[in-house]
Amino acid sequence: MTEPGPGALAGLRVLDLSGHRAQLCARLLGDMGADVIKVEPPAGDDARRIGPFLDDLPHHDRSLFFWFYNLNKRSLTLDLKRSRGADILLQLVRTADVVIESFAPGMLDKLGLGWDILHRENPAHVLCSIAPFGQTGPYRDYVADDTVLTALGGMLYVNGFPNHAPVRPLGLQAYHSSAYFGAIAVMLALLARDKSAEGQWIDLSMQEATAAAVEHVAGGYFERNEAEPRRGTLHWSRFFRVGKCRDGYIMHCTLGDWTSLIEWVKSDGKAADLDDPNYQQPMYRYLMAEHVFEVLDDWVKDYPRDELLERAQLLRQPYATVRPPEALFDDEQLIERGYIVEVEHPELGRKFRYPGAPYLFNGTPWRVSRRPPLVGEHTGEILRDELAMAPEAIAVLAAEGVI
């Protein structure tokens, strides 16, 4: 077996100008081997001020939030509001394949770094602009965070419990959906460039990316012209729901071998009316989902979680335990596939575990090439090696606050 080669995107140069809302997009490219240069203000990126912080000690180089979104990047500090800083960025654009930014619409133009200027400097580069509502439209200049975007993207409305107000989705769903769509769009634009030799400008709306990620809403709406109701832990398909076991939670499923499942429940004396022949029909179970799961919840309430899972899987029932996130570190499946990776932070003299990639490439693998950068850690090397600046010139830029 041959040794894996460099990452699939080795040789690709990415300039990451994004703030905390869009930083995952460039990281996804860096994870596959692209050289990602994170361009941040001299005082550091806004994500560095977001906790939690390592050992609860707030510091711009100890933000765990920043660490996650900026793995496999280099850091260049540059004040783009100064003409000298903008000039340096233009020099870097000449050799870049991709520029990713998340400024407010119109800000790049104000900085003298709009699409026309960047395209003139490098017609082959791809610019990906990620904004809450895109570069056009009546909401263009609205400000928004992840919660606002899930609200206006249709995601928040369908999240929560029946007959209660909507509940904010956990995590940063709008930001992540936008990053995934952004990375895909960048790769498609680069594929098109292979044929035309021309780059292009990608105008990505985070609201639209969020709307596109609410996968179960569109089908029901176009089929029945009805808004999807809030269902609590009942899956929109009505065939899955969370139940409480003796020592944790289990995900029920009524789509497996129904006969085997009910024979098991009957042997425990808990089947109630579920052995009625009507329940053999999936559509009947769909219509009677609330009742079915009430019976199954009563059945599992005294079962040990792991015993239930093991026997269900032996019977080919797609049950699953509902685990807390920290349990993933000890998951034998994830460990076997190398999903959890250790990253050394030499300045701290410590190693930390990071989540890895959900795919394995046998030839051009995902890998950690560098830990998240310290503020401006690579400024000197980039200006010296990429732009051939003399040490004296770099010192002047630092003294003037440009870097």
Side-chain angles (χ1 to χ4, degrees), residues 7-24:
L9 301 182
L12 195 74
R13 169 66 58 82
V14 179
L15 301 181
D16 179 16
L17 279 60
S18 65
H20 73 273
R21 294 176 178 85
Q23 293 176 359
L24 179 59

Side-chain angles (χ1 to χ4, degrees), residues 30 32 74 94 105 134 154 187 217 228-229 251 256 286 297 362 395 399:
M32 291 307 297
R74 295 191 287 164
R94 291 168 191 157
M187 296 310 302
V217 171
E228 187 69 20
M251 177 67 77
Y286 171 89
D297 282 349
N362 71 342

Side-chain angles (χ1 to χ4, degrees), residues 118-192:
L118 297 183
H119 187 63
R120 182 190 66 204
E121 293 293 326
N122 181 359
H125 97 285
V126 172
L127 172 62
C128 181
S129 294
I130 303 176
F133 304 100
Q135 304 296 309
T136 60
Y139 295 176
R140 184 188 104 129
D141 297 319
Y142 282 19
V143 294
D145 68 354
D146 188 85
T147 304
V148 171
L149 292 164
T150 58
L152 291 176
M155 183 178 288
L156 193 151
Y157 184 87
V158 298
N159 196 59
F161 290 84
N163 304 315
H164 288 78
V167 175
R168 185 199 186 283
L170 184 65
L172 300 174
Q173 302 298 326
Y175 295 170
H176 281 218
S177 297
S178 302
Y180 301 140
F181 280 114
I184 293 169
V186 165
M187 296 310 302
L188 293 174
L190 292 172
L191 185 64

